Amino acid sequence: MYCGERFEPDLLTVDHVQPRMRGGDRSGGNLVTACGACNARKGSLRLAEFLRADEVAREHFFQLAMGHVWPRILRALEEELRKR
Ligand SMILES: [Zn+2]
Protein backbone atom coordinates (compact mmCIF):
# COMPACT_ATOMS: atom_id res chain seq x y z
CA MET A 1 0.00 0.00 0.00
CA TYR A 2 2.90 2.39 0.53
CA CYS A 3 5.57 1.74 -2.11
CA GLY A 4 3.11 0.40 -4.68
CA GLU A 5 5.24 -2.67 -5.42
CA ARG A 6 3.77 -6.16 -5.57
CA PHE A 7 4.97 -8.95 -3.29
CA GLU A 8 4.23 -12.56 -2.54
CA PRO A 9 1.72 -12.78 0.32
CA ASP A 10 4.22 -14.26 2.76
CA LEU A 11 6.41 -11.15 2.42
CA LEU A 12 3.61 -8.81 3.49
CA THR A 13 2.59 -7.57 6.90
CA VAL A 14 -0.91 -6.45 7.77
CA ASP A 15 -1.60 -2.94 9.05
CA HIS A 16 -4.75 -1.57 10.66
CA VAL A 17 -5.76 1.74 9.07
CA GLN A 18 -7.67 2.75 12.17
CA PRO A 19 -5.63 1.43 15.13
CA ARG A 20 -7.27 -1.23 17.25
CA MET A 21 -6.85 0.88 20.38
CA ARG A 22 -8.93 3.58 18.68
CA GLY A 23 -11.75 1.26 17.86
CA GLY A 24 -10.45 -0.12 14.56
CA ASP A 25 -11.65 -3.63 13.85
CA ARG A 26 -10.22 -6.49 11.83
CA SER A 27 -12.64 -6.20 8.93
CA GLY A 28 -11.18 -6.11 5.42
CA GLY A 29 -11.96 -2.42 5.01
CA ASN A 30 -9.70 -1.59 7.93
CA LEU A 31 -6.76 -3.75 6.89
CA VAL A 32 -4.04 -2.99 4.36
CA THR A 33 -0.83 -4.81 3.52
CA ALA A 34 2.70 -3.43 3.65
CA CYS A 35 6.01 -4.92 2.55
CA GLY A 36 8.75 -5.45 5.12
CA ALA A 37 10.70 -2.37 4.03
CA CYS A 38 7.71 -0.06 4.31
CA ASN A 39 6.66 -1.60 7.57
CA ALA A 40 10.17 -0.95 8.93
CA ARG A 41 10.07 2.67 7.72
CA LYS A 42 6.68 3.17 9.31
CA GLY A 43 7.96 1.71 12.58
CA SER A 44 5.77 2.70 15.48
CA LEU A 45 4.42 5.82 13.76
CA ARG A 46 0.69 6.11 13.52
CA LEU A 47 -0.53 5.83 9.94
CA ALA A 48 -1.41 9.52 9.65
CA GLU A 49 2.04 10.53 10.91
CA PHE A 50 3.74 8.16 8.50
CA LEU A 51 1.68 9.34 5.53
CA ARG A 52 2.28 12.96 6.45
CA ALA A 53 6.04 12.41 6.46
CA ASP A 54 6.20 10.26 3.33
CA GLU A 55 4.70 11.81 0.22
CA VAL A 56 5.23 8.75 -2.00
CA ALA A 57 3.58 6.46 0.51
CA ARG A 58 0.71 8.93 0.85
CA GLU A 59 0.03 8.99 -2.88
CA HIS A 60 0.11 5.22 -3.20
CA PHE A 61 -1.98 4.74 -0.13
CA PHE A 62 -4.85 6.96 -1.23
CA GLN A 63 -4.78 5.58 -4.78
CA LEU A 64 -4.88 1.99 -3.61
CA ALA A 65 -7.20 2.53 -0.67
CA MET A 66 -9.99 3.94 -2.83
CA GLY A 67 -12.75 1.37 -3.06
CA HIS A 68 -11.01 -0.89 -0.56
CA VAL A 69 -10.71 0.88 2.78
CA TRP A 70 -14.03 1.83 4.42
CA PRO A 71 -14.92 5.38 3.32
CA ARG A 72 -15.53 6.62 6.88
CA ILE A 73 -12.05 5.46 7.90
CA LEU A 74 -10.50 7.19 4.89
CA ARG A 75 -12.38 10.38 5.72
CA ALA A 76 -11.12 10.27 9.32
CA LEU A 77 -7.58 9.77 8.07
CA GLU A 78 -7.83 12.64 5.58
CA GLU A 79 -9.17 14.85 8.33
CA GLU A 80 -6.29 13.93 10.60
CA LEU A 81 -3.83 14.73 7.80
CA ARG A 82 -5.35 18.17 7.28
CA LYS A 83 -4.65 19.30 10.83
CA ARG A 84 -1.18 19.27 12.25
ZN1 LIG B 1 6.55 -1.33 0.42
Side-chain angles (χ1 to χ4, degrees):
M1 286 300 271
Y2 307 127
C3 60
E5 307 281 331
R6 293 188 163 266
F7 296 90
E8 295 297 322
D10 59 347
L11 295 176
L12 294 170
T13 61
V14 175
D15 268 355
H16 291 80
V17 181
Q18 184 172 56
R20 303 214 55 215
M21 55 183 290
R22 293 179 149 216
D25 60 20
R26 288 190 172 134
S27 62
N30 192 40
L31 298 177
V32 296
T33 54
C35 73
C38 290
N39 191 52
R41 272 190 301 129
K42 180 168 176 274
S44 61
L45 288 180
R46 295 197 303 114
L47 183 56
E49 292 169 338
F50 173 62
L51 294 180
R52 183 178 286 140
D54 190 323
E55 194 180 329
V56 174
R58 189 166 68 233
E59 269 172 34
H60 284 130
F61 178 85
F62 281 108
Q63 268 170 27
L64 296 167
M66 213 51 81
H68 167 73
V69 175
W70 303 128
R72 67 176 167 81
I73 294 179
L74 273 186
R75 277 198 300 274
L77 191 61
E78 281 166 339
E79 208 143 288
E80 199 175 343
L81 280 168
R82 270 198 295 272
K83 54 186 170 201
R84 343 206 73 214

